[in-house]
């Protein structure tokens, strides 16, 4: 029997079954995996989500933006620490991922900043996050919301 490829449907089934399996989806040559986020206190402060984007194809792909019903203004940000040890963050702009490479959005570096939250982020829930690419392709993942002190996809 042929092993089925990882598809959005499979990701959805894994999520439904409530496993601690990493969230992932694919569209063409892009695989998004290890998506997670932290619970928020209310909606006054932005949320953040983390994930890994892997380009399994033979050509570079460019991530151009994010959309989610959870936030009016989701943006890819990058946290930088200057020589004085002061951290600040700024929009990272478009992000090109070379063939065979991956980019990790993780605490302390790149992250998906979810500005203008529409709802509080509640531990145990999930929300869809869509990544858009320069070729018009999109990949949507369901992002699990972990505890407020979570440090990674395993919690
Ligand atoms: Cu940020």
């Amino acid at each position: 029997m042929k092993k089925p490829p990882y598809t959005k449907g499979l990701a959805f089934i894994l999520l439904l079954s409530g496993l601690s399996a990493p969230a992932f989806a694919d569209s063409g040559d892009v695989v998004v995996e290890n998506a997670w986020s932290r619970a928020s206190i209310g909606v006054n402060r932005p949320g953040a989500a983390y994930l890994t984007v892997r380009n399994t194809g033979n050509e570079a792909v460019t991530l151009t933006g994010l959309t989610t019903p959870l936030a009016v203004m989701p943006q890819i940000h990058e946290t930088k620490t200057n020589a004085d040890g002061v951290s600040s963050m700024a929009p990272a702009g478009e992000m090109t991922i070379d063939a065979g490479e991956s980019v990790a959005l993780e605490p302390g570096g790149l992250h998906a900043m979810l500005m203008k939250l529409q709802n509080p982020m509640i531990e145990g829930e999930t929300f869809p996050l869509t990544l858009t690419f320069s070729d018009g392709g999109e990949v949507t993942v369901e992002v699990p919301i972990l505890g407020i002190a979570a440090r990674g996809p395993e919690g």
Side-chain angles (χ1 to χ4, degrees), residues 77-79 89 111 113:
H77 275 186
E78 184 166 19
T79 299
M89 59 186 172
H111 52 278
M113 183 111 284

Side-chain angles (χ1 to χ4, degrees), residues 130-141:
T130 300
L131 291 74
T132 53
F133 294 88
S134 55
D135 65 354
E138 295 185 340
V139 179
T140 299
V141 283

